[in-house]
Amino acid sequence: MKIKAYYVVENLAIMYEIVGEEKFLEIIRMYGGSNLYIPTYKSVVRSSRNREIAKRYNGINASQLAREYGITVNQIRNIVNM
C-alpha cells in the first residue's frame, strides 16, 4: 500500500520522513493503537554509557574511566554499584 507523506498525521510526519514508508508502515502495524513511550536521546545514550562503564570496570580503574567519560570517580562508583 502506498502512503503519501502529506497524508500522514502532522506529529508522525517527521517519523515518516526519518524512517521511510516501509519502516513507518511496519511501526504502525506493530504499535498502532497502543501508547508507545519513546525515551529521550539523552536517556538512551546515558544508559548505554553506564552499561559500558559497568562492563569495563575492574575494581581499580575508576579514575581512568572517569577521565575517559568526562565524569567523576563518584559517578563511576554510583554506576557500578547500581
Side-chain angles (χ1 to χ4, degrees), residues 37-51:
Y37 171 75
I38 299 176
T40 63
Y41 175 82
K42 183 178 177 180
S43 167
V44 171
V45 170
R46 184 183 327 113
S47 180
S48 177
R49 178 206 65 189
N50 291 353
R51 281 192 300 277

Side-chain angles (χ1 to χ4, degrees), residues 1-2 5 11 17 19 26-27 33 35 39 42 44 55-56 65 68 77 80:
M1 174 179 198
K2 205 73 170 148
N11 61 345
E17 290 176 20
V19 300
E26 187 175 334
I27 291 167
N35 290 322
K42 183 178 177 180
V44 171
K55 184 177 176 182
R56 293 184 57 203
L65 292 171
E68 250 181 79
R77 289 189 183 117
V80 298

Side-chain angles (χ1 to χ4, degrees), residues 3-21 24 28:
I3 304 283
K4 302 283 185 197
Y6 52 84
Y7 289 137
V8 176
V9 179
E10 187 176 331
N11 61 345
L12 294 177
I14 293 172
M15 182 192 306
Y16 179 93
E17 290 176 20
I18 292 170
V19 300
E21 180 183 352
F24 179 78
I28 297 302

Side-chain angles (χ1 to χ4, degrees), residues 49-78:
R49 178 206 65 189
N50 291 353
R51 281 192 300 277
E52 188 174 314
I53 288 170
K55 184 177 176 182
R56 293 184 57 203
Y57 181 70
N58 65 12
I60 59 171
N61 63 345
S63 295
Q64 174 195 347
L65 292 171
R67 280 190 306 277
E68 250 181 79
Y69 289 95
I71 58 178
T72 67
V73 171
N74 282 338
Q75 287 174 296
I76 296 291
R77 289 189 183 117
N78 287 337

